[in-house]
Amino acid sequence: MLNGLQCGRAVAALMVAVFHANVFLLPKNFYNGEGAGVGFNFGYAGVEFFFVLSGFIMALVHRRDFGQPAQATRFLRKRILRIYPIYWVVLTALLAIYFAAPGRGPEHAREGFAILTSYLLFPTIDGPIMQIAWTLQHEMLFYAVFTLLIVHIRWGMVAFGGWMLACVISLPFWPEMAYPFEFVLKAHNLLFLFGILAALVYKHLSQNMARLSFWAGTLLFLGIGLTETMGGMALSENIRPLGYGLGAALAVIGLAQGNLPAPNWLTFLGNASYAIYLVHLPVMNIAAVPLRKLEVHTMIPPLAMLALITVIVTIAGSLAHIYLEKPLIAFFAKRAAKKSAA
């Protein structure tokens, strides 16, 4: 089951990398405003898959912790160790680049308050310095509310249910909402609920039904994406994540219960997916410099360049996972274990 879910995580991370390469990197650096094709432009929806999967995993792994306040600290420690250490390293490296080259990065990249809130993943009106970290901010908000379920299941359900209800009620008004409501009530937050519901349902399905769920979810997900990018029929910004989220939830059920093939290489990339997600933007922008100087884009078409960039960021993310993420998690986990023993 977990290998299948990791394969889904790998595909989602690569989708986001392909999206950024096709929409931003190739048109700006190589092909005068052109990418490899609009069919790749819904890759951003890998984020929706991540959010659904996060809700699924949290409910699956920690459902027995509900109403067990003694487990709250352990839960938060595990989540913090999973999210922050490698993120801090990548953010620090990015800030070093921005300070060394003052013309690079967002305008607030050298402001003390923005740096502090970015390290903390605290949401602000200007957003985080590392732009993709907006997803991590939503993850941390979800973890904070999820912790309430562990501290006190009844009050936690009230808090979580109230949050989800407020997000639903806010759907018609969300695009015009001001900070902090734009963040707290963003439609993407509902995707965590989709994942939790999927975790409650999947065990009640037969293997054949789970496989049907996977294919139905995959077709829905791809159908929305291709209709949006190639058909020019995009859903509204507040509804679109829910369509992708439903497709992702059905696919996750299939990955969890359908006993689908899970190649070792794709499972590994799923394990490395967080590192790939964190490093893909800076790595592809750095890689673009020598590729442009060598005029590689004059020798290969956009699709081949997109594939090359994807391979580069995948290798870089995999190396970051092996030599940075895993040692950091092991180091801090060992320290936490020593403290607990003491």
Side-chain angles (χ1 to χ4, degrees):
M1 177 185 68
L2 289 179
N3 285 347
L5 294 174
Q6 289 301 81
C7 289
R9 195 193 298 270
V11 172
L14 295 177
M15 283 179 62
V16 176
V18 166
F19 166 74
H20 283 132
N22 192 58
V23 174
F24 300 107
L25 190 80
L26 266 63
K28 180 181 177 182
N29 292 278
F30 300 112
Y31 297 106
N32 297 319
E34 297 293 329
V38 295
F40 297 104
N41 288 0
F42 71 96
Y44 66 85
V47 168
E48 275 83 339
F49 185 91
F50 277 132
F51 283 177
V52 170
L53 184 59
S54 181
F56 183 93
I57 293 295
M58 291 304 102
L60 178 69
V61 175
H62 296 284
R63 64 188 184 278
R64 291 189 178 87
D65 294 336
F66 291 168
Q68 305 292 328
Q71 298 297 321
T73 301
R74 175 175 169 269
F75 168 76
L76 281 176
R77 182 172 61 242
K78 287 177 65 177
R79 293 299 92 210
I80 288 170
L81 290 180
R82 181 72 179 90
I83 296 294
Y84 280 97
I86 186 173
Y87 165 69
W88 281 338
V89 173
V90 176
L91 176 59
T92 300
L94 201 60
L95 287 171
I97 294 172
Y98 290 161
F99 274 94
R104 294 184 177 273
E107 293 183 2
H108 63 308
R110 295 157 196 84
E111 297 175 3
F113 180 74
I115 292 173
L116 176 62
T117 54
S118 290
Y119 272 107
L120 296 176
L121 289 174
F122 186 85
T124 62
I125 193 169
D126 293 323
I129 292 172
M130 186 189 296
Q131 294 176 347
I132 61 168
W134 71 269
T135 62
L136 306 183
Q137 292 175 335
H138 282 279
E139 285 281 353
M140 295 311 298
L141 174 62
F142 169 57
Y143 295 155
V145 179
F146 193 88
T147 302
L148 299 178
L149 290 165
I150 297 174
V151 172
H152 195 290
I153 187 168
R154 184 173 299 174
W155 288 111
M157 290 178 68
V158 169
F160 187 81
W163 180 34
M164 294 293 100
L165 180 60
C167 289
V168 171
I169 293 172
S170 301
L171 284 175
F173 316 104
W174 176 78
E176 289 79 32
M177 297 181 76
Y179 171 85
F181 301 105
E182 181 275 338
F183 170 77
V184 176
L185 302 178
K186 192 178 181 74
H188 286 76
N189 294 316
L190 290 166
L191 302 180
F192 297 117
L193 175 62
F194 284 22
I196 291 173
L197 294 176
L200 297 176
V201 167
Y202 87 100
K203 279 192 174 181
H204 300 287
L205 299 181
S206 67
Q207 186 176 104
N208 287 335
M209 286 298 296
R211 289 186 175 184
L212 180 62
S213 175
F214 170 80
W215 289 114
T218 300
L219 288 174
L220 175 60
F221 195 96
L222 291 175
I224 293 174
L226 295 177
T227 300
E228 175 187 7
T229 56
M230 303 184 76
M233 299 172 59
L235 297 172
S236 61
E237 193 176 354
N238 53 342
I239 299 299
R240 185 173 58 209
L242 305 185
Y244 283 123
L246 177 58
L250 293 172
V252 164
I253 288 172
L255 290 170
Q257 187 71 354
N259 195 28
L260 295 165
N264 290 336
W265 65 270
L266 197 56
T267 301
F268 167 79
L269 292 182
N271 295 334
S273 60
Y274 182 46
I276 293 172
Y277 181 73
L278 287 180
V279 307
H280 78 271
L281 270 178
V283 166
M284 69 173 59
N285 280 287
I286 292 170
V289 176
L291 289 175
R292 186 168 177 80
K293 287 184 177 180
L294 294 172
E295 298 185 346
V296 175
H297 59 290
T298 64
M299 296 179 273
I300 61 175
L303 185 58
M305 179 64 79
L306 181 62
L308 176 60
I309 293 294
T310 304
V311 169
I312 290 172
V313 299
T314 301
I315 292 173
S318 299
L319 292 174
H321 168 66
I322 295 171
Y323 296 108
L324 186 60
E325 183 182 22
K326 289 178 69 175
L328 281 171
I329 291 175
F331 172 76
F332 285 108
K334 188 175 181 180
R335 289 193 60 181
K338 285 183 177 179
K339 277 190 175 184
S340 297

Coordinates of all heavy atoms in Angstrom, one line a residue, residues 38 223-235:
V38 N 0.9 23.0 -24.3 CA 0.0 23.4 -23.3 C -0.5 22.2 -22.5 O -1.0 22.4 -21.4 CB -1.2 24.2 -23.8 CG1 -0.8 25.5 -24.4 CG2 -2.0 23.3 -24.9
G223 N -8.8 14.4 -17.1 CA -9.8 15.1 -17.9 C -9.9 16.6 -17.6 O -10.1 17.4 -18.5
I224 N -9.9 16.9 -16.3 CA -10.0 18.3 -15.9 C -8.8 19.0 -16.4 O -8.9 20.1 -16.9 CB -10.1 18.4 -14.3 CG1 -11.4 17.8 -13.8 CG2 -9.9 19.9 -13.9 CD1 -11.5 17.8 -12.3
G225 N -7.6 18.4 -16.2 CA -6.4 19.1 -16.7 C -6.3 19.4 -18.1 O -6.0 20.5 -18.6
L226 N -6.7 18.4 -18.9 CA -6.6 18.5 -20.4 C -7.7 19.4 -20.9 O -7.6 20.1 -21.9 CB -6.6 17.1 -21.1 CG -5.4 16.3 -20.8 CD1 -5.6 14.9 -21.4 CD2 -4.1 16.9 -21.3
T227 N -8.9 19.3 -20.3 CA -10.0 20.2 -20.6 C -9.6 21.7 -20.4 O -9.9 22.6 -21.2 CB -11.3 19.9 -19.9 OG1 -11.6 18.5 -20.2 CG2 -12.4 20.8 -20.2
E228 N -8.9 21.9 -19.3 CA -8.5 23.2 -18.9 C -7.4 23.7 -19.9 O -7.5 24.9 -20.3 CB -8.0 23.2 -17.5 CG -7.4 24.5 -17.0 CD -6.8 24.5 -15.7 OE1 -6.7 23.3 -15.1 OE2 -6.4 25.5 -15.1
T229 N -6.4 22.9 -20.1 CA -5.2 23.4 -20.9 C -5.4 23.3 -22.4 O -5.0 24.3 -23.1 CB -4.0 22.6 -20.5 OG1 -4.2 21.2 -20.7 CG2 -3.6 22.8 -19.0
M230 N -6.0 22.3 -22.8 CA -6.1 22.1 -24.3 C -7.5 22.5 -24.8 O -7.6 22.8 -26.0 CB -5.8 20.6 -24.7 CG -4.4 20.2 -24.2 SD -3.9 18.5 -24.7 CE -3.5 18.8 -26.4
G231 N -8.5 22.4 -23.9 CA -9.8 22.7 -24.4 C -10.2 24.1 -24.0 O -11.3 24.6 -24.5
G232 N -9.4 24.8 -23.2 CA -9.7 26.2 -22.9 C -11.0 26.4 -22.1 O -11.6 27.4 -22.2
M233 N -11.3 25.4 -21.3 CA -12.6 25.4 -20.5 C -12.2 25.3 -19.0 O -12.6 24.4 -18.3 CB -13.5 24.3 -20.9 CG -14.0 24.4 -22.4 SD -14.9 23.0 -22.9 CE -16.3 23.1 -21.7
A234 N -11.5 26.3 -18.5 CA -11.0 26.2 -17.1 C -12.1 26.4 -16.1 O -13.0 27.3 -16.3 CB -9.9 27.2 -16.9
L235 N -12.1 25.7 -15.0 CA -13.0 25.9 -13.9 C -12.6 27.2 -13.2 O -11.4 27.6 -13.3 CB -13.0 24.7 -13.0 CG -13.5 23.4 -13.6 CD1 -13.3 22.3 -12.6 CD2 -15.0 23.5 -13.9

